Amino acid sequence: MKKSLLAIALLAAAFGAAAPLTASAKDISLLNVSYDPTRELYQDFNAAFSKFWLAKTGDKVTVKGSHGGSGKQARAIIDGLDADVATLALAYDVDQLQEKGKLIPKDWQTRLPHNSSPYTSTIVLLVRKGNPKNIKDWDDLVKPGVSVITPNPKTSGGARWNYLAAWAYAQKHDGNDEAKTKEFIGKLFKNVPVLDTGARGSTTTFVERGIGDVLLAWENEAFLAQKELGVGKFEIVVPSLSILAEPPVTVVDKFAKKHGTEVVAKAYLEYLYTEEGQEIAAKNYYRPTLASVAKKYESQFPKVNLVKIDNDFGGWQVAQKKHFADGGTFDQIYQK
Amino acid sequence: MQFKFTKFATALIASGIISLPLAAHANDSSELEELRALVQQLDQKVKILARQGEISAEETAAVKKTTPVVKASENGFGLESADGKNSIKLKGLLQIDNRNFSDVNGLGGDGKNISGFDFRRIRPTIEGTVFGKYDFRFTPEFGEAKTASATSTSGIVDAYIDARFQPSFKVRAGKFKPFVGLERLQSGSDIKFIERSYVSNNILPNRDLGAAIHGDVLEGKLNYSVGIYNGVVDGGDITTVQDTNVDKEYAARLFTTPFKDSDSVLAGLGFGLAATHGNFKGSIATGASGLPAYKTAGQQSSFFAYTTGSVFANGVRERISPQAYYYYGPFGVITEYARVSQDVTNGTISDKLENDAWQIAVSYLLTGEDASFKGVKPIQVFNTDGGGWGAWELVARYQENNIDSKAFQTSSLAPTGYADPRVNASSAKSWATGVNWYLNQNVKVVLNYEQTSFKGGGSSTSGLFTSIADRPDEKALFTRLQLSY
């Protein structure tokens, strides 16, 4: 008996001795799994946060990024991609981390201000210089001969925002006649020659491959294309109606706990709400939520009449089920 | 792609193929506009097709990243997840022996040494990894080894989980080879002789149920292990049923390869020390004596066994085993010693008996391959259609197994010992030589000749405990065809 106890003590001591090897690391690594067009934003933000954290704690943080279609990224995390934080395009994809992966708590959206969306954006139309097809609003996109570039709503969060913005416009103009709205969206997607899996892929299709007359884009992506990817080659058309896009962020609790990075992951997301974090977002053409920074960059962002997902579509759960689930309106109208 | 198509369209216009009609209508600007629009449309279509091809290729690449990989090679067959964290392998070991004994009626005329064919090992193995660090292995036995040991009735050779938390900290639990004997830890497919030495087969544990912490430290140059096991008799292989002994056996081993990965001539040197400590009391009530029987080199019959029914293990059993190997170019040598001290009782008497064994074996590869603790990979595989002759290796070994003199009875009037010297030898000394032919890394042919001489155990003409003859020598010629993958 005594020897058995001794053996157990030895085993426990050995386990105990091994534990500090993981807990005492000063080089911390975080994985931020994000949606497609946030590459530039988080490249700047990660550098700023690493500097901030080093000064604050003396620990070196290296943040790695993974980018892709928001829905695809959510599935990857659920399938085991060890993300410490998820910064996705829409709340429904983050909800999936809770519902299907049990990786985060149910109240994840209340843990940070503004429903855990540190910045917002909207959907605009990017056309070629001189706007050769004279595109001014959504109804110009359904005209014959207009080639529209948008990613696949099944895999891309941005594409779902695009779809819902167009839907909201059509619904308003058709007096809430759903059959007509579906017909409008059907015509729009008939004009889509290529469906990329993510927003960045669509930008590549439109900007670099020279395909299409108009790109349905995140506002930040449109600015980026206009000012950095093809200076002087594109113009932004602000439609009469669009949608308020609120990309949310969350710590992926289960993986962060496993990695021992809960504290730094939380601090990383909280830093997005600071003045410096908001400045970086604004400089990357995301609309800041901090009033002081929003005011400073007010002139950068055009005023748009915006619908909200909660008010006009009953929230993401309802919108997802109706439009993007298997057999939903998108499946009904889109003929590949 | 886009560049090529654009250039192609431009070239068509420039070469006049598309612009031929323009010659007749040079001033017709509307037709020119139509043609321009047509070219632009075609350009868009070409670009769309090219982009769709790109997206399709990206999607194919993405699918490939998540598609499990099927593996089939000389290293085995298996499946592996795209991220490599989960895998399963099918492996196997098949050994078909022909065993010829010159002393068919030897060993006291008990007729146990029977020449003939023998499936020494038939072991399919399923092994793999889950979640990147939890290895498992399951190996049943369908060959002769299933019942080769007097203490083994189990058809399960190995069944364990090995959690690799860090290279320096791993935990193994289940039924496996305790980290003790050097040659025992060498795979059954890689051993140089058809049978392991007395050290492995008669003194140190074969397989046991338990748990061990093990790992490699100092850049992999020092391997350590400590474990707790149910405990087995010398050379024993345990069943997978509930242990009947209250006390357990503890084992520890340190083995170092100090010059590993260097250019030194000592790069292939490894040496270490292993020990076990346990406690076992046999009794008529439990039906277990807790004591071993020591087999001859031929592994068919025993040259020493304690008297049954009255002699029992009576407490502490301790083993110690210094061990070493050295490999340099085609040359290899492995040597180890093991001593066991065992408390025994026989009625009114009890003693601590010390039995030991040692071996030294050398090998030399004639065909230029490097020798190693693991298997041999021929430079040229054997091929009847021309090509190489595989790898050829010469081997030689000397080994002894000695029994404590206190073990033997000196009188039949009262308990004076623990074994009858008239039928049990006090030592076995064997020399062996052989040749191994590795047709490729999966198929091997082995030829061994081993001769063993015994001291005592050859009966007494007077029937008394004096003037006891030596048992006849055991002369064994073994051949083996082995397939392993």
Side-chain angles (χ1 to χ4, degrees):
Chain A
M1 186 64 186
K2 279 181 183 171
K3 280 173 185 164
S4 297
L5 286 173
L6 179 65
I8 291 165
L10 282 171
L11 283 168
F15 275 107
L21 294 176
T22 52
S24 63
K26 291 290 180 189
D27 284 346
I28 302 165
S29 181
L30 283 185
L31 176 61
N32 176 7
V33 175
S34 194
Y35 61 107
D36 230 356
T38 57
R39 287 174 173 82
E40 294 76 15
L41 164 65
Y42 281 108
Q43 197 174 336
D44 294 348
F45 180 77
N46 293 345
F49 177 75
S50 295
K51 200 174 161 189
F52 160 76
W53 196 251
L54 184 67
K56 185 180 177 183
T57 66
D59 291 347
K60 186 183 171 191
V61 179
T62 306
V63 187
K64 292 176 187 165
S66 167
H67 298 268
S70 183
K72 244 170 87 174
Q73 294 291 76
R75 276 196 293 277
I77 297 171
I78 293 164
D79 291 343
L81 180 60
D82 272 17
D84 298 283
V85 297
T87 55
L88 299 178
L90 44 92
Y92 178 80
D93 289 335
V94 181
D95 281 339
Q96 296 306 293
L97 304 184
Q98 197 284 319
E99 288 173 18
K100 293 187 177 165
K102 308 292 180 203
L103 302 170
I104 57 174
K106 274 186 178 173
D107 64 347
W108 67 269
Q109 209 160 7
T110 63
R111 296 192 295 185
L112 290 166
H114 302 292
N115 284 331
S116 292
S117 295
Y119 42 78
T120 65
S121 189
T122 188
I123 302 303
V124 297
L125 314 177
L126 188 73
V127 297
R128 300 194 186 281
K129 187 184 176 186
N131 196 358
K133 292 289 172 81
N134 198 27
I135 291 164
K136 292 177 180 169
D137 211 343
W138 293 101
D139 50 2
D140 293 318
L141 308 185
V142 298
K143 290 176 181 170
V146 174
S147 180
V148 181
I149 303 301
T150 179
N152 188 343
K154 290 281 190 180
T155 55
S156 162
R160 274 173 273 176
W161 289 113
N162 294 347
Y163 180 101
L164 293 177
W167 184 280
Y169 171 87
Q171 199 170 34
K172 189 180 172 190
H173 281 259
D174 295 330
N176 286 324
D177 184 334
E178 186 158 321
K180 284 187 177 175
T181 303
K182 276 171 77 172
E183 189 185 340
F184 178 89
I185 298 294
K187 281 183 183 172
L188 191 156
F189 273 89
K190 270 188 184 164
N191 283 348
V192 177
V194 176
L195 276 183
D196 285 278
T197 56
R200 182 50 58 87
S202 284
T203 304
T204 301
T205 298
F206 184 74
V207 174
E208 293 181 21
R209 301 294 182 266
I211 299 169
D213 302 309
V214 55
L215 171 70
L216 310 190
W218 290 95
E219 182 181 47
N220 52 282
E221 189 77 348
F223 273 120
L224 185 78
Q226 189 192 32
K227 296 188 176 176
E228 295 179 26
L229 300 178
V231 180
K233 293 180 180 173
F234 306 102
E235 295 173 12
I236 291 175
V237 173
V238 180
S240 61
L241 181 88
S242 193
I243 193 163
L244 178 67
E246 297 169 298
V249 300
T250 183
V251 172
V252 185
D253 299 65
K254 192 173 176 182
F255 293 137
K257 192 173 180 182
K258 178 180 149 190
H259 302 154
T261 55
E262 287 164 296
V263 172
V264 67
K266 185 166 175 275
Y268 177 78
L269 296 184
E270 286 171 348
Y271 194 65
L272 280 166
Y273 290 88
T274 64
E275 194 159 342
E276 188 173 7
Q278 293 282 292
E279 281 270 354
I280 293 168
K283 282 175 185 167
N284 281 278
Y285 314 111
Y286 292 83
R287 297 184 176 216
T289 52
L290 187 67
S292 58
V293 181
K295 190 164 179 57
K296 183 178 172 186
Y297 286 87
E298 199 174 20
S299 61
Q300 179 175 293
F301 301 102
K303 287 193 168 39
V304 195
N305 184 18
L306 298 172
V307 299
K308 290 187 174 180
I309 184 78
D310 289 336
N311 299 344
D312 295 78
F313 292 93
W316 263 114
Q317 291 289 344
V318 176
Q320 175 73 23
K321 191 175 176 188
K322 179 177 178 180
H323 296 286
F324 309 117
D326 289 345
T329 54
F330 176 71
D331 282 348
Q332 292 164 30
I333 58 100
Y334 184 66
Q335 304 292 321
K336 200 173 180 183
Chain B
M1 204 58 187
Q2 175 210 352
F3 174 80
K4 282 183 182 173
F5 281 114
T6 309
K7 288 283 183 191
F8 177 66
T10 309
L12 284 175
I13 295 167
S15 64
I17 294 171
I18 291 178
S19 62
L20 277 176
L22 294 178
H25 308 282
N27 297 320
D28 193 338
S29 61
S30 65
E31 194 161 347
L32 189 60
E33 281 303 314
E34 281 175 22
L35 283 170
R36 185 172 292 140
L38 183 62
V39 169
Q40 283 175 349
Q41 277 180 23
L42 288 171
D43 179 52
Q44 278 288 299
K45 282 186 179 175
V46 167
K47 285 175 178 172
I48 288 166
L49 286 171
R51 182 60 178 155
Q52 284 173 338
E54 281 181 352
I55 292 169
S56 177
E58 284 168 10
E59 286 174 351
T60 303
V63 167
K64 200 176 174 184
K65 280 183 185 171
T66 57
T67 304
V69 180
V70 178
K71 290 188 172 178
S73 71
E74 59 272 21
N75 296 320
F77 306 92
L79 287 171
E80 188 175 290
S81 61
D83 62 5
K85 289 183 177 176
N86 300 283
S87 65
I88 189 163
K89 270 187 193 173
L90 298 176
K91 302 179 92 172
L93 174 61
L94 181 66
Q95 293 175 341
I96 309 157
D97 293 359
N98 182 268
R99 300 183 169 220
N100 277 286
F101 294 93
S102 65
D103 55 330
V104 173
N105 293 307
L107 296 180
D110 58 9
K112 284 186 178 175
N113 280 349
I114 308 295
S115 299
F117 288 95
D118 176 31
F119 275 113
R120 180 65 173 84
R121 293 179 177 89
I122 305 175
R123 296 180 180 176
T125 291
I126 299 171
E127 66 177 26
T129 303
V130 292
F131 286 95
K133 58 176 66 169
Y134 302 97
D135 298 337
F136 64 88
R137 181 183 172 96
F138 175 70
T139 304
E141 174 66 272
F142 297 100
E144 179 264 342
K146 180 181 175 183
T147 54
S149 165
T151 57
S152 171
T153 56
S154 173
I156 305 301
V157 179
D158 290 313
Y160 64 80
I161 296 167
D162 207 354
R164 290 181 283 111
F165 296 112
Q166 293 180 35
S168 61
F169 183 71
K170 305 173 203 171
V171 178
R172 182 179 294 187
K175 183 182 177 188
F176 55 94
K177 294 176 180 177
F179 296 96
V180 181
L182 180 60
E183 192 187 27
R184 176 61 64 192
L185 290 171
Q186 198 168 30
S187 167
S189 60
D190 295 337
I191 53 177
K192 299 295 183 185
F193 293 85
I194 284 178
E195 293 294 348
R196 289 185 173 91
S197 74
Y198 295 130
V199 176
S200 299
N201 285 333
N202 286 354
I203 304 293
L204 299 179
N206 180 339
R207 278 175 172 80
D208 208 342
L209 273 170
I213 296 172
H214 65 114
D216 297 304
V217 294
L218 303 177
E219 297 178 328
K221 290 175 179 169
L222 179 65
N223 176 270
Y224 77 92
S225 70
V226 289
I228 177 170
Y229 304 90
N230 280 348
V232 288
V233 298
D234 299 347
D237 179 2
I238 203 165
T239 66
T240 49
V241 298
Q242 175 72 45
D243 188 24
T244 57
N245 186 33
V246 175
D247 290 310
K248 302 303 163 200
E249 191 157 74
Y250 307 91
R253 178 175 183 263
L254 282 173
F255 193 85
T256 181
T257 48
F259 305 101
K260 183 183 171 186
D261 300 328
S262 73
D263 294 330
S264 166
V265 293
L266 298 175
L269 173 66
F271 58 91
L273 184 68
T276 72
H277 176 93
N279 212 321
F280 192 91
K281 288 188 178 180
S283 70
I284 294 173
T286 61
S289 71
L291 295 169
Y294 293 156
K295 291 197 166 190
T296 67
Q299 287 290 297
Q300 270 203 15
S301 56
S302 302
F303 71 87
F304 174 82
Y306 292 96
T307 304
T308 55
S310 60
V311 179
F312 298 99
N314 190 36
V316 174
R317 175 176 58 220
E318 290 177 328
R319 304 183 185 97
I320 188 162
S321 176
Q323 50 200 253
Y325 62 57
Y326 176 64
Y327 297 98
Y328 183 70
F331 174 75
V333 58
I334 182 169
T335 183
E336 57 186 332
Y337 169 82
R339 187 185 73 216
V340 57
S341 68
Q342 171 79 61
D343 288 344
V344 295
T345 184
N346 182 5
T348 57
I349 64 166
S350 59
D351 269 299
K352 182 182 287 293
L353 301 182
E354 292 193 342
N355 305 327
D356 67 10
W358 66 275
Q359 68 130 340
I360 182 165
V362 294
S363 60
Y364 189 85
L365 279 153
L366 300 170
T367 39
E369 292 79 3
D370 284 338
S372 80
F373 188 65
K374 295 182 177 174
V376 173
K377 190 173 182 180
I379 294 170
Q380 290 185 312
V381 300
F382 173 70
N383 191 340
T384 53
D385 299 328
W389 276 93
W392 289 79
E393 183 179 44
L394 298 178
V395 295
R397 173 172 72 189
Y398 180 79
Q399 57 171 338
E400 289 186 6
N401 194 170
N402 298 298
I403 311 300
D404 193 323
S405 59
K406 293 198 296 285
F408 295 98
Q409 285 178 260
T410 55
S411 163
S412 60
L413 297 176
T416 55
Y418 307 91
D420 185 341
R422 294 169 296 184
V423 292
N424 291 289
S426 63
S427 73
K429 297 178 180 178
S430 311
W431 64 267
T433 187
V435 59
N436 296 323
W437 179 24
Y438 302 87
L439 282 74
N440 50 55
Q441 72 181 83
N442 299 114
V443 180
K444 178 166 82 165
V445 176
V446 185
L447 173 68
N448 284 177
Y449 175 78
E450 186 148 33
Q451 186 165 321
T452 303
S453 60
F454 303 95
K455 185 177 179 186
S459 77
S460 165
T461 51
S462 65
L464 301 176
F465 292 98
T466 55
S467 306
I468 299 169
D470 293 338
R471 292 188 172 196
D473 288 356
E474 178 184 270
K475 297 172 184 172
L477 181 68
F478 288 0
T479 53
R480 167 172 292 171
L481 175 61
Q482 171 181 298
L483 172 72
S484 63
Y485 61 90

